[in-house]
């Protein structure tokens, strides 16, 4: 099993539009399906409730690491932390990075989630598999979001 998930998608939208979809907490919440309580601020924890059917009981938490306008947005989180009876805060989080590159027809979005080798072995494989599929869906979600919204 790899230590990282990598996804890439070319979006037919200007880089500024994709940046806004990633970093405006309201827009992020629309395509990611989480109702965030406030804006993303480097060094601070962003908190919200998942709105995806079947996962509404989950509180979404991520610590914003980097916001380099129209280039890099990153946060750390606890992957597939869905059991409300488990304290995931003692685990080392994974790092999620969204990198943007301008292309002739839009924006290349490169997603990397790394650090799965630090996840406890008893849940590492499931967390990786769930996020692998989750990121595939999220790439489609952001593609649809930037295509319809301006």
């Amino acid at each position: 099993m790899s230590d990282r998930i990598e996804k890439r998608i070319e979006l037919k939208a200007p880089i500024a539009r994709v940046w806004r979809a990633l970093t405006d907490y309201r827009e992020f919440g629309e395509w990611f399906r989480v109702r965030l309580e406030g804006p993303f601020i480097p060094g601070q924890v962003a908190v919200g409730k998942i709105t995806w059917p079947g996962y509404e009981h989950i509180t979404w938490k991520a610590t914003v690491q980097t916001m380099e306008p129209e280039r890099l947005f990153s946060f750390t989180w606890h992957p597939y932390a869905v059991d409300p009876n488990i304290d995931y805060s003692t685990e080392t989080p994974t790092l999620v990075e969204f990198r943007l590159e301008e292309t002739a027809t839009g924006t290349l979005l490169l997603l990397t989630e790394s650090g799965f080798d630090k996840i406890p072995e008893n849940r590492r494989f499931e967390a990786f598999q769930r996020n692998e599929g989750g990121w595939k869906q999220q790439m489609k979600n952001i593609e649809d979001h930037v295509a319809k919204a301006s």
Side-chain angles (χ1 to χ4, degrees):
M1 187 182 93
S2 173
D3 174 43
R4 64 180 45 223
I5 294 169
E6 296 179 344
K7 303 289 181 196
R8 60 187 300 141
I9 187 169
E10 184 158 349
L11 303 169
K12 296 188 181 342
I15 201 165
R17 176 71 195 97
V18 177
W19 178 254
R20 194 173 73 229
L22 287 171
T23 60
D24 179 289
Y25 74 100
R26 292 166 293 227
E27 286 206 33
F28 182 93
E30 284 182 42
W31 64 266
F32 199 90
R33 308 227 170 118
V34 58
R35 188 174 309 110
L36 294 168
E37 296 174 358
F40 292 124
I41 299 171
Q44 293 191 12
V45 177
V47 178
K49 281 296 207 186
I50 299 285
T51 60
W52 192 270
Y55 292 90
E56 297 93 338
H57 65 287
I58 298 171
T59 299
W60 188 92
K61 286 184 186 176
T63 302
V64 176
Q65 299 297 313
T66 306
M67 293 178 79
E68 295 178 16
E70 300 184 3
R71 196 180 96 62
L72 172 64
F73 174 55
S74 68
F75 57 78
T76 54
W77 70 348
H78 297 286
Y80 198 60
V82 298
D83 187 337
N85 299 314
I86 295 177
D87 177 11
Y88 297 98
S89 68
T90 59
E91 297 180 3
T92 301
T94 55
L95 174 65
V96 176
E97 296 176 302
F98 297 93
R99 294 183 183 277
L100 303 178
E101 295 177 16
E102 191 169 1
T103 67
T105 58
T107 303
L108 179 63
L109 171 59
L110 303 162
L111 170 282
T112 304
E113 182 174 7
S114 59
F116 284 93
D117 59 336
K118 304 287 190 301
I119 301 301
E121 191 172 341
N122 66 332
R123 68 179 213 91
R124 183 180 308 151
F125 181 75
E126 183 175 20
F128 183 91
Q129 290 297 315
R130 294 292 187 153
N131 280 23
E132 171 74 24
W135 285 122
K136 182 177 179 183
Q137 179 62 52
Q138 295 295 11
M139 293 295 98
K140 178 70 178 141
N141 290 353
I142 194 171
E143 179 180 38
D144 293 345
H145 180 80
V146 298
K148 71 175 174 148
S150 58

